[in-house]
Amino acid sequence: MNKTLIDLPAFGDERGILVSLEAQKSIPFEVKRVYYICKVKEDKPRGFHAHRNLQQLMVCVSGGCDLVLDNGITKQTLRLDDPTKGLVLEGVIWREMHNFTSDCVMLVMSSHHYDENDYIRNYDDFLKEIKK
Ligand code: T46
């Protein structure tokens, strides 16, 4: 599975923590787009898609959620709830986000602009596509 949990450069002192993200340094690709997910409903999962050609770095800067990652062979669940850890995803991975805390803010940096044609939003289509 093409996923890596990375330690983000974090500068903590008695005032708190500052996390600095620099494209092509702490972020292993050129960032073309940034978005964030916030004001979530705890009982409303998100995702349920894969990307054909996209690298993303995901960080829960507040709160957390469970990420279910599936490459068609193995399925893994990990809790993302630490603002100093980022999850880098690349390759065709089915992703679901569950069990959000109400204060969750997920920041995502992407290697490409938004393109709905890059999404596989049907699980059977995803399985067909990875077998190609
Ligand atoms: C992902 C997970 C982690 C845009 O217009 N521009 C954008 O850059 C994005 C990301 C979304 N949208 C529109 C498309 C939909 O009408 O925003 C709406 C909600 O998007 P979606 O239902 O895809 O949101 P999530 O939370 O299910 O998935 C998002 C990203 O789309 C996806 O790339 O990996 O977060």
Side-chain angles (χ1 to χ4, degrees), residues 21 34-37 57-61 105-109:
L21 302 175
V34 175
Y35 61 91
Y36 50 91
I37 295 168
L57 172 64
M58 306 155 89
V59 187
C60 281
V61 295
V105 179
M106 181 190 275
L107 179 67
V108 184
M109 280 138 282

Side-chain angles (χ1 to χ4, degrees), residues 33 35 46-47 49 51 56 58 95 97 114 119 121:
R33 176 168 53 113
Y35 61 91
R46 306 184 67 108
H49 60 256
H51 284 283
Q56 298 206 109
M58 306 155 89
R95 74 229 26 212
M97 291 107 79
Y114 175 70
Y119 284 74
R121 291 196 184 265

Side-chain angles (χ1 to χ4, degrees), residues 2-6 28-29 56-58 86-90:
N2 255 337
K3 64 144 184 60
T4 319
L5 198 60
I6 59 171
F29 52 84
Q56 298 206 109
L57 172 64
M58 306 155 89
L87 181 70
V88 179
L89 283 187
E90 58 186 306

Side-chain angles (χ1 to χ4, degrees), residues 72-83:
I73 300 163
T74 55
K75 199 187 257 201
Q76 298 175 6
T77 302
L78 64 90
R79 184 88 187 152
L80 207 56
D81 62 359
D82 181 340

